[in-house]
Amino acid sequence: MRLYLVNPSNPLVSIVRIKESRWNRYRVWKPLSLMVLAGLTPPEWGITILDENLGVPDYAALPRPDLVGITAFTSQANRAYEVAAHFRRLGVPVVMGGIHATMRLDEVLERVDSAVTGEAESVWPGVLADARTGCLKRRYDGGFAEIDGIPPARHDLLASGYAMGAIQTTRGCPMNCTFCSVTAFNGARYRQRPIAEVVREFQFIREKRVLVVDDNLIGTRPEHIARAKDLFRAMARANLRKEWVAQATVNFGDDEELLALAAKAGCRGVFIGFESPTPEGLLELGKKFNLLKGRDFRASVRRIQRHNILVVGSFIIGLDADRPGVGQRIAAAARQYGLDNLNAMFLTPLPGTRLWKQMRSAGRLALDRFPEDWKYFTLTFPVARYKHLPLDTIIEEMTACDRAFYSMPRILGRVWNNIWRRRQPLITLIGNLSYRSNLKLSGSAYADFQRQLGERQG
Ligand code: B12
Ligand code: SF4
């Protein structure tokens, strides 16, 4: 039995534009969902993972599979439907799963044979068994899975072409920030994989560098932090020799022991959502963690960096609280906090989030021709109607923010600072140049986007 697992690409996402900027090569991440599915697949299936981010295969030249499984974030949905249509024309059944299939089930069911909603661990073997006997059901719901004792992801299947491996150690988040899909999709309960299983899976990863995809590796409560410490101790004991980056909330910087253990276990970078430079903005987004009284972001960032861990900060532009000037204000905040990289995104109502419900019911989706418009839901296009920032203004704000933070003198300043402190200056340089080289790409993408919208309205 031949199974293809496909990760569709969206050409509007900069990571796939390797020709225009070779730095993007370092930003193509492994599609872990498909590696996890492969791990759950019984041995009678021959599995090929086709990751279009590395290049779109000539599907017509490939042997005919018995089943195709497609994953998709919302921004990949259009392409997912094209791939599905190709295989369905050949009479090959197509199953789609992942976050978009879960949040837009009816739309997906019109375009594939079967959809898997929620997490797949409990249902995927059953889907395959039904596919073998030609009895696929229209829908399977995996809900929230138990993540103890699951087989490791198949790290052997995507052997080359990526700068980093990927692993997941926890799922779920209780915070339910308005713009984020994680609580809606993975639930509010913070679930942790057994430490021994995580360490064992790390050992299967061939790459030296690894992305830990957890939305918040350290969690929110004291017992979560205690577990994170135990995990880091076990990783250090196993002498994994990996360097890894992860996502965490800003409380990562509150605990010196946690930081020291993380660094010893190989942590080299952390991605933190600061989201807004103003308390009104944080309140609007429901990002309660960042609102804690007496929180000093600069001091938190410094404490993390002292352990040789780089800090990438993410901010959102387009809140109701944002006024013209917000772009410069974010760049200034990012500099003041001492961030090594800044990732600014447009506020984007993703299906299933609280923000989606609010904006949709208020008629604030500027792009609503679905499924065609999903390709713009990359967080790099202003797809909504923003309270104080009309289309041209919000694009100017984003451009001003990026230009201010990624000006050549500022980049060199950060690199020099990191040389001085012996804190990964080369990685800082590559990371900053990678963002900077995409500014030109963003400029032409905005121009196309503005033209498209103009044509629609005209
Ligand atoms: C790692 C990651 C990335 C990596 C991508 C890795 C990759 N797959 O190529 C990078 C950094 C590149 C990335 C980029 C983006 N991401 Co991202 N990312 C994540 C993150 C943190 C983890 C994803 C992951 O690997 N999870 C682990 C696997 C095991 O879980 P899973 O993917 O959910 O898969 C399970 C099920 O969904 C299901 N399943 C999945 N696919 C399939 C397919 C079949 C056939 C079946 C049966 C089942 C199934 O089975 C799996 C096992 O249970 C998630 C948050 C999250 N918790 O999911 C956000 C998330 C998916 N990203 C998000 C977004 C918005 C983006 C971007 C658009 C914007 C951005 N800059 O972040 C871009 C878009 C990229 C694109 N190609 O279009 C949103 C998506 C919301 C949505 N509705 O689409 C999420 C949910 C984060 C959030 N805060 O809301 N991302
Ligand atoms: S943004 Fe972070 S803290 Fe907020 S719900 Fe999403 S994962 Fe949780």
Side-chain angles (χ1 to χ4, degrees):
M1 299 294 284
R2 183 177 286 129
L3 170 68
Y4 288 168
L5 294 174
V6 183
N7 184 32
S9 100
N10 176 349
L12 296 173
V13 174
S14 60
I15 49 169
V16 300
R17 302 177 66 164
I18 296 168
K19 273 195 207 118
E20 289 99 328
S21 168
R22 67 203 139 96
W23 302 111
N24 286 333
R25 191 197 162 314
Y26 300 103
R27 296 172 62 208
V28 181
W29 308 95
K30 287 192 165 182
L32 183 58
S33 53
L34 299 182
M35 294 152 66
V36 167
L37 282 188
L40 299 167
T41 303
E44 60 268 25
W45 290 84
I47 310 165
T48 308
I49 298 184
L50 300 163
D51 181 4
E52 293 194 344
N53 285 337
L54 290 189
V56 175
D58 178 2
Y59 288 109
L62 296 176
R64 188 181 188 281
D66 298 290
L67 181 70
V68 172
I70 306 181
T71 189
F73 301 164
T74 291
S75 56
Q76 298 167 291
N78 313 79
R79 177 64 192 151
Y81 300 146
E82 286 171 14
V83 175
H86 168 84
F87 283 107
R88 292 181 88 200
R89 273 195 300 273
L90 301 178
V92 176
V94 174
V95 184
M96 187 162 148
I99 188 143
H100 192 73
T102 305
M103 300 306 173
R104 298 285 295 184
L105 180 62
D106 294 342
E107 175 192 301
V108 166
L109 279 176
E110 280 173 32
R111 292 163 178 86
V112 300
D113 299 285
S114 176
V116 174
T117 53
E119 300 174 4
E121 279 75 4
S122 61
V123 290
W124 181 239
V127 175
L128 292 172
D130 289 351
R132 283 197 73 160
T133 52
C135 309
L136 267 182
K137 298 183 188 62
R138 289 286 280 153
R139 183 197 175 181
Y140 299 81
D141 182 25
F144 307 133
E146 286 311 323
I147 54 173
D148 325 0
I150 50 168
R154 289 284 303 272
H155 295 277
D156 55 315
L157 285 178
L158 285 166
S160 57
Y162 301 86
M164 297 176 94
I167 192 168
Q168 186 173 46
T169 93
T170 62
R171 279 190 195 161
C173 179
M175 305 307 281
N176 201 14
C177 301
T178 58
F179 60 92
C180 174
S181 323
V182 171
T183 310
F185 184 72
N186 294 113
R189 187 163 69 89
Y190 188 66
R191 288 163 289 151
Q192 303 146 336
R193 291 180 63 196
I195 288 175
E197 290 179 20
V198 173
V199 171
R200 194 164 71 95
E201 184 163 333
F202 252 108
Q203 284 162 337
F204 294 134
I205 300 178
R206 299 172 188 194
E207 292 80 8
K208 165 118 183 106
R209 297 190 172 78
V210 180
L211 169 70
V212 180
V213 306
D214 303 26
D215 297 290
N216 185 358
L217 177 61
I218 59 164
T220 50
R221 306 223 307 246
E223 62 271 27
H224 303 160
I225 308 238
R227 179 266 184 188
K229 287 182 182 172
D230 286 344
L231 173 65
F232 300 154
R233 283 190 193 100
M235 287 168 69
R237 258 198 318 272
N239 197 16
L240 296 170
R241 295 175 195 280
K242 302 287 184 200
E243 296 187 343
W244 48 271
V245 296
Q247 307 184 87
T249 32
V250 67
N251 55 321
F252 187 45
D254 293 348
D255 185 327
E256 282 291 343
E257 187 191 24
L258 179 73
L259 289 169
L261 288 168
K264 203 163 166 219
C267 182
R268 295 290 175 268
V270 64
F271 187 100
I272 295 179
F274 291 93
E275 321 304 2
S276 168
T278 65
E280 309 83 71
L282 293 172
L283 259 183
E284 183 182 326
L285 293 171
K287 192 90 185 186
K288 302 168 213 93
F289 238 95
N290 294 14
L291 275 166
L292 284 187
K293 269 219 173 97
R295 163 83 57 215
D296 177 346
F297 291 120
R298 185 185 173 86
S300 303
V301 170
R302 279 281 150 82
R303 275 197 297 275
I304 298 171
Q305 289 171 331
R306 260 187 236 123
H307 292 267
N308 194 23
I309 298 172
L310 298 177
V311 181
V312 182
S314 146
F315 284 84
I316 300 176
I317 296 189
L319 314 184
D320 288 356
D322 289 345
R323 300 282 194 290
V326 63
Q328 288 288 359
R329 193 163 177 187
I330 288 176
R335 285 200 303 270
Q336 198 263 326
Y337 300 170
L339 300 181
D340 296 293
N341 262 298
L342 162 67
N343 193 26
M345 313 296 252
F346 292 105
L347 182 72
T348 303
L350 292 164
T353 59
R354 290 198 282 148
L355 184 70
W356 166 266
K357 285 176 203 121
Q358 285 160 16
M359 282 198 148
R360 199 173 130 126
S361 60
R364 291 179 63 186
L365 301 184
L367 270 83
D368 58 1
R369 290 187 194 166
F370 301 128
E372 301 88 81
D373 282 342
W374 292 130
K375 61 179 177 290
Y376 293 112
F377 280 59
T378 54
L379 281 50
T380 53
F381 294 97
V383 296
R385 297 194 175 87
Y386 302 95
K387 197 162 179 187
H388 302 291
L389 304 168
L391 179 69
D392 293 353
T393 314
I394 196 167
I395 289 176
E396 281 161 23
E397 291 299 333
M398 182 62 83
T399 310
C401 174
D402 284 338
R403 287 215 180 117
F405 192 83
Y406 289 109
S407 72
M408 219 46 198
R410 298 271 183 212
I411 292 182
L412 294 176
R414 281 191 287 277
V415 173
W416 175 248
N417 192 16
N418 284 0
I419 291 176
W420 183 246
R421 292 169 203 270
R422 299 203 191 144
R423 206 173 52 215
Q424 308 180 66
L426 188 61
I427 302 286
T428 310
L429 182 67
I430 293 175
N432 275 262
L433 288 179
S434 157
Y435 274 90
R436 184 182 157 89
S437 67
N438 283 325
L439 298 188
K440 238 194 245 145
L441 289 181
S442 309
S444 64
Y446 296 149
D448 285 349
F449 181 75
Q450 281 164 303
R451 202 171 318 118
Q452 285 263 339
L453 269 188
E455 277 167 19
R456 280 192 196 184
Q457 281 150 10

